[in-house]
Amino acid sequence: MEIEKEKVYRAWPSGPPTYQQATSEHLQRITHNKRWNYSLFSCFEPGSLCLMGSCLPCITFGKTQARTRDPELPDFSHCNTQCSLFAFLALLGSQWIIQTVKRGETRERFGIEGSCCGDCCVSFCCSCCAVIQEEKEVELRTRPEYTGYQMTSGMTYP
């Protein structure tokens, strides 16, 4: 039950990050899970994400890609490069190509099991559900309180 409370989607980061090490067992089950924490068909909750992912999937896709670069979304713009690329490809009916590539990158980054063929099938057949699943997954796995303190690149020694 406690894990389900932790898996509530947050559209925007809330408050300053807490840099505690994510060593508790239930946090390890979330961040090191070899499967998606959210089902492909859990795309109806929350309603705001469902509506955005269904009506304007390019914005949700762009937000997910921005979140992978910086989970705090400090300079996020709804109309970004990834959003524009997705929208352009959607006009051609080919958005599933970029979505397949990015879904594979997400799986590799977080160690989620799957294959390129599976990513392609999901992206082609259930594009909106896949966009929502990826946004929820990336948001959950990149929360600072789950990942622990991450030293910035400017703080390294030569």
Side-chain angles (χ1 to χ4, degrees):
M1 277 299 171
E2 191 171 323
I3 290 177
E4 294 305 316
K5 289 180 189 176
E6 298 288 333
K7 288 172 48 174
V8 174
Y9 173 75
R10 299 181 206 161
W12 298 99
S14 57
T18 56
Y19 294 110
Q20 64 188 26
Q21 286 295 346
T23 55
S24 67
E25 187 176 319
H26 78 278
L27 292 182
Q28 293 288 330
R29 279 184 277 172
I30 290 172
T31 58
H32 293 93
N33 190 358
K34 297 288 184 199
R35 298 179 182 264
W36 295 92
N37 284 298
Y38 296 98
S39 163
L40 186 62
F41 301 108
S42 68
C43 57
F44 301 107
E45 184 178 32
S48 59
L49 182 60
C50 177
L51 188 62
M52 184 65 74
S54 299
C55 297
L56 295 168
C58 58
I59 292 177
T60 305
F61 180 81
K63 187 174 187 179
T64 303
Q65 300 314 308
R67 196 183 296 276
T68 59
R69 287 187 300 280
D70 189 350
E72 294 181 26
L73 301 173
D75 56 350
F76 173 71
S77 170
H78 289 290
C79 291
N80 57 36
T81 306
Q82 295 294 323
C83 173
S84 300
L85 180 60
F86 187 94
F88 175 74
L89 289 172
L91 290 173
L92 303 174
S94 305
Q95 81 283 358
W96 58 272
I97 297 170
I98 186 87
Q99 194 174 356
T100 299
V101 171
K102 294 299 183 177
R103 186 173 177 87
E105 289 175 5
T106 299
R107 276 190 317 92
E108 285 182 30
R109 177 178 178 185
F110 298 117
I112 299 171
E113 295 173 342
S115 67
C116 182
C117 183
D119 294 339
C120 184
C121 289
V122 167
S123 298
F124 186 78
C125 297
C126 304
S127 183
C128 293
C129 295
V131 165
I132 294 168
Q133 180 189 36
E134 292 159 24
E135 167 62 12
K136 289 167 71 173
E137 193 72 31
V138 170
E139 185 277 326
L140 180 68
R141 291 185 186 238
T142 59
R143 288 183 189 170
E145 61 265 26
Y146 291 0
T147 57
Y149 176 74
Q150 304 292 316
M151 185 167 63
T152 60
S153 59
M155 295 174 63
T156 59
Y157 290 102

